[in-house]
């Protein structure tokens, strides 16, 4: 397998902090000025890196649907395709009769899973709290801080409808609990508690114990941002 140039994805760490701050409603002048250009640069670099990898190995290890032009990989209930010649990532709601550019977090998640995942990657089918990975890998995401902004306005009824729309499997525990397919081969578990007179609402995310065999920790944060965005989209539909 082609050795991965270290700088191409390690530079993402600073963007994790920016995404984290943005999710909590925080901004800074440099971030706002450079966000578009830096994100475009990172995405372009990741696409070029993708093209340097053995695509047949990607197909084999992840059992990808593919043809001569595209690799196909669903992410959080939405089908994506990656152009095998340019590395561009698009998604479609209608079998690619129409197509839209993937958002930054979705594209970076897919690139990393395709390029970084170990040759023998496989899910553990056992779950660990997302916070446990934070303390092990970076130690700079405070307890619940990463989720505080994105989950503050969730409601149990609408969140349950969003999980059902994403073909989630209902579980016990919490006011709302579902297992969702992050990727076809990798699930996450969500447990949500409504706010009451003593405590604010709370969302717990559990990820597969082998998730870091599929992606870097920084990419896991991108995947979670995308997951929360998809839940919010489906929740908005449910509230109409």
């Amino acid at each position: 397998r082609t050795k991965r140039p270290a700088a191409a994805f390690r530079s993402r760490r600073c963007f994790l902090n920016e995404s984290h701050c943005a999710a909590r409603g925080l901004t800074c002048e440099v971030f706002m000025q450079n966000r578009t250009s830096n994100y475009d640069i990172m995405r372009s670099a990741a696409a070029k890196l993708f093209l340097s990898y053995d695509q047949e190995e990607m197909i084999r290890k992840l059992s990808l649907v593919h043809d001569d032009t595209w690799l196909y990989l669903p992410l959080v209930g939405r089908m994506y395709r990656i152009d095998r010649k340019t590395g561009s990532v698009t998604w479609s709601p209608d079998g690619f009769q129409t197509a839209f550019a993937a958002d930054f977090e979705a594209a970076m998640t897919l690139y990393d899973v395709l390029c970084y995942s170990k040759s023998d990657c496989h899910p553990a089918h056992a779950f660990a709290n997302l916070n446990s990975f934070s303390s092990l890998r970076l130690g700079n995401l405070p307890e619940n801080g990463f989720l505080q902004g994105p989950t503050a306005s969730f409601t149990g009824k609408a969140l349950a409808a969003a999980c059902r729309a994403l073909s989630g499997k209902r579980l016990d525990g919490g006011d709302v609990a579902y297992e969702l397919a992050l990727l076809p081969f990798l699930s996450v578990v969500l447990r949500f508690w409504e706010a009451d007179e003593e405590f604010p609402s709370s969302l717990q995310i559990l990820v597969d114990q082998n998730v870091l065999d599929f992606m870097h920790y920084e990419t896991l944060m991108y995947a979670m941002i995308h997951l929360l965005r998809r839940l919010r989209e489906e929740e908005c539909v449910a509230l109409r």
Side-chain angles (χ1 to χ4, degrees):
R1 186 171 85 171
T2 305
K3 186 175 180 180
R4 178 182 190 164
F9 281 97
R10 284 182 182 174
S11 64
R12 294 173 303 174
R13 181 164 295 181
C14 62
F15 285 90
L16 169 61
N17 293 331
E18 291 172 355
S19 296
H20 177 214
C21 290
R24 298 176 68 188
L26 304 177
T27 60
C28 71
E29 183 178 355
V30 173
F31 171 46
M32 296 306 293
Q33 289 176 348
N34 295 334
R35 176 177 179 177
T36 300
S37 61
N38 285 338
Y39 276 34
D40 288 344
I41 290 169
M42 291 173 63
R43 184 172 180 147
S44 177
K48 291 178 181 178
L49 185 63
F50 161 78
L51 296 175
S52 73
Y53 274 72
D54 183 348
Q55 295 180 16
E56 295 303 318
E57 171 65 7
M58 297 176 188
I59 292 167
R60 181 200 65 78
K61 68 181 177 180
L62 299 174
S63 301
L64 300 178
V65 175
H66 65 282
D67 55 37
D68 291 341
T69 305
W70 307 98
L71 302 180
Y72 296 89
L73 185 56
L75 178 66
V76 194
R78 178 177 283 169
M79 179 60 73
Y80 290 81
R81 64 183 184 184
I82 303 90
D83 191 304
R84 301 183 67 171
K85 294 183 180 179
T86 70
S88 66
V89 183
T90 52
W91 68 274
S92 175
D94 55 14
F96 291 100
Q97 296 182 47
T98 58
F100 305 91
D103 64 52
F104 176 81
E105 287 81 12
M108 296 300 284
T109 298
L110 293 172
Y111 287 138
D112 204 31
V113 170
L114 291 168
C115 297
Y116 168 75
S117 54
K118 296 180 179 180
S119 60
D120 60 347
C121 58
H122 61 278
H125 299 297
F127 297 92
N129 195 303
L130 182 64
N131 287 335
S132 67
F133 291 90
S134 172
S135 61
L136 287 171
R137 294 289 162 168
L138 290 182
N140 66 350
L141 294 181
E143 181 94 14
N144 294 324
F146 174 69
L147 301 177
Q148 183 177 356
T151 64
S153 60
F154 275 138
T155 64
K157 182 178 180 180
L159 180 59
C163 289
R164 290 193 297 270
L166 293 173
S167 302
K169 175 185 176 182
R170 188 172 180 178
L171 302 175
D172 295 327
D175 295 316
V176 176
Y178 280 85
E179 181 177 338
L180 299 173
L182 180 67
L183 293 151
F185 38 78
L186 207 58
S187 296
V188 298
V189 170
L190 305 179
R191 287 196 175 93
F192 178 76
W193 289 265
E194 295 270 19
D196 59 26
E197 62 277 5
E198 295 185 26
F199 299 101
S201 61
S202 175
L203 178 67
Q204 180 188 63
I205 299 181
L206 307 178
V207 296
D208 192 275
Q209 291 179 358
N210 287 351
V211 68
L212 298 185
D213 288 348
F214 292 86
M215 65 186 78
H216 287 85
Y217 174 80
E218 296 91 334
T219 303
L220 178 57
M221 295 301 101
Y222 287 145
M224 294 301 99
I225 291 170
H226 180 70
L227 171 65
L228 294 176
R229 182 181 295 124
R230 290 286 293 119
L231 286 168
R232 176 64 67 212
E233 291 171 354
E234 296 296 340
E235 188 183 48
C236 289
V237 172
L239 290 172
R240 289 177 185 172

